[in-house]
Amino acid sequence: MDLGVNIDHIAILREARRVDEPNILDALSIVKRAGADQITIHLREDRRHINDRDAKNIIEQSKLPVNLECSMDIEILDIVLKLRPHRATIVPEKREEVTTEGGLNISQEFESLKGIIELLQKREIEVSLFIDPTFDNIKIAKMLGVEWIEFHTGKYANIYAVLYENLNRSSYPIKELELSRNRLKSMLEKEIANLHKVSHDAVRMGIKVACGHGLNYNNVKNIAKISAVQELNIGQSIVARSVWVGLERAILEMRELIR
Ligand code: PXP
């Protein structure tokens, strides 16, 4: 299973002071040395972390493939088409959200997505769709002809957090907080079983599967066991751990867990 390291949060630290450090480009060699397989970045419409210059420099200088997450916004897509990253992952985006709260509504956006995917693929950019883990979504992704899908694991991570990490704070609402432990345990099992099933369904249909969002050093083990999942994209927990142990070791530890 491959590991994509999302380095947006390094730019968050820089933007907290609007200075030049930490230099995001220093992350490229460290991520590679630590044995990760991909650099993931999200060029948000509000440029709250990665900016246009970062995206350009990272794509030009990274020795690892770059997965550029982007919304369906015309201006952003224009930049993606010019920069030609290895892969573009299309994600839903709301200005006011702290982080990506769920997957794309691909049935509603079918026609627009079709045009966007064609444009990206014509420029030889692999396309991935960030979606919630349902069979209906896979069927639509198949019709859209994408190479990859990435399942949003936020719901799984949230239930896990409430159950085992004593977490009652989240970047998006945890409805599950009110539920009993037994009910939460069965919800967690159901969520894992569902991720397992839809990942295998997708692979059988010829689509490569990544997972991401909210994965950390505790909860990653259940997802790492799903053999149909080819890649995990992890950001916040790795960058948070790097504050204590350094980026290289934080990635190595995650790599070890995934293995
Ligand atoms: N994958 C996608 C498509 C994302 O949008 C994000 C968050 O930017 C991640 C993975 C990484 O999520 P986290 O920072 O919670 O590990």
Side-chain angles (χ1 to χ4, degrees), residues 90-125:
I90 306 173
V91 303
E93 196 174 308
K94 286 189 237 136
R95 285 281 161 107
E96 65 281 12
E97 71 191 355
V98 176
T99 183
T100 316
E101 290 173 351
L104 288 161
N105 188 339
I106 53 172
S107 56
Q108 201 173 297
E109 306 284 2
F110 188 87
E111 287 306 324
S112 326
L113 279 169
K114 205 161 179 261
I116 292 169
I117 292 164
E118 269 173 28
L119 281 175
L120 290 164
Q121 289 175 335
K122 252 190 218 145
R123 297 280 288 157
E124 291 174 2
I125 303 168

Side-chain angles (χ1 to χ4, degrees), residues 39-257:
I39 299 276
T40 294
I41 50 174
H42 184 173
L43 183 65
R44 276 190 169 266
E45 290 163 31
D46 63 9
R47 314 297 201 274
R48 68 175 72 158
H49 37 59
I50 297 294
N51 60 36
D52 303 42
R53 191 167 57 119
D54 293 329
K56 180 173 185 294
N57 287 338
I58 290 167
I59 290 165
E60 279 174 9
Q61 294 179 34
S62 175
K63 300 237 163 35
L64 292 175
V66 176
N67 171 27
L68 179 54
E69 295 173 11
C70 58
S71 69
M72 294 168 64
D73 176 82
I74 300 272
E75 187 210 332
I76 295 283
L77 286 165
D78 216 32
I79 297 170
V80 178
L81 288 166
K82 281 199 189 98
L83 293 180
R84 296 184 68 203
H86 183 78
R87 189 191 309 165
T89 297
I90 306 173
V91 303
E93 196 174 308
K94 286 189 237 136
R95 285 281 161 107
E96 65 281 12
E97 71 191 355
V98 176
T99 183
T100 316
E101 290 173 351
L104 288 161
N105 188 339
I106 53 172
S107 56
Q108 201 173 297
E109 306 284 2
F110 188 87
E111 287 306 324
S112 326
L113 279 169
K114 205 161 179 261
I116 292 169
I117 292 164
E118 269 173 28
L119 281 175
L120 290 164
Q121 289 175 335
K122 252 190 218 145
R123 297 280 288 157
E124 291 174 2
I125 303 168
E126 273 186 354
V127 183
S128 180
L129 299 175
F130 195 37
I131 53 176
D132 291 325
T134 69
F135 187 64
D136 281 348
N137 277 341
I138 305 170
K139 279 194 297 192
I140 301 170
K142 178 73 189 169
M143 287 195 277
L144 285 166
V146 288
E147 292 88 348
W148 284 87
I149 50 177
E150 179 167 341
F151 288 130
H152 191 296
T153 46
K155 185 172 174 205
Y156 159 75
N158 258 4
I159 303 170
Y160 190 99
V162 179
L163 253 178
Y164 299 116
E165 295 171 333
N166 243 341
L167 192 88
N168 57 12
R169 204 168 71 93
S170 168
S171 48
Y172 55 109
I174 303 185
K175 300 186 289 293
E176 295 80 12
L177 271 176
E178 313 293 326
L179 302 172
S180 73
R181 286 191 74 78
N182 277 347
R183 176 117 167 67
L184 282 169
K185 277 188 185 155
S186 82
M187 278 176 78
L188 190 72
E189 272 165 32
K190 239 174 97 182
E191 202 55 39
I192 297 168
N194 178 55
L195 279 163
H196 211 281
K197 183 188 168 302
V198 289
S199 300
H200 281 90
D201 289 341
V203 169
R204 260 195 303 276
M205 289 162 78
I207 309 175
K208 292 182 229 175
V209 179
C211 281
H213 198 97
L215 297 178
N216 64 26
Y217 294 83
N218 303 319
N219 67 24
V220 75
K221 55 186 183 282
N222 291 316
I223 308 300
K225 280 183 198 153
I226 306 174
S227 58
V229 176
Q230 195 170 326
E231 173 190 291
L232 302 180
N233 283 302
I234 306 181
Q236 212 272 340
S237 63
I238 290 179
V239 176
R241 179 126 183 91
S242 76
V243 173
W244 311 122
V245 302
L247 184 58
E248 185 168 352
R249 189 159 143 210
I251 296 169
L252 280 168
E253 289 176 5
M254 185 59 84
R255 261 250 73 105
E256 225 21 67
L257 286 172

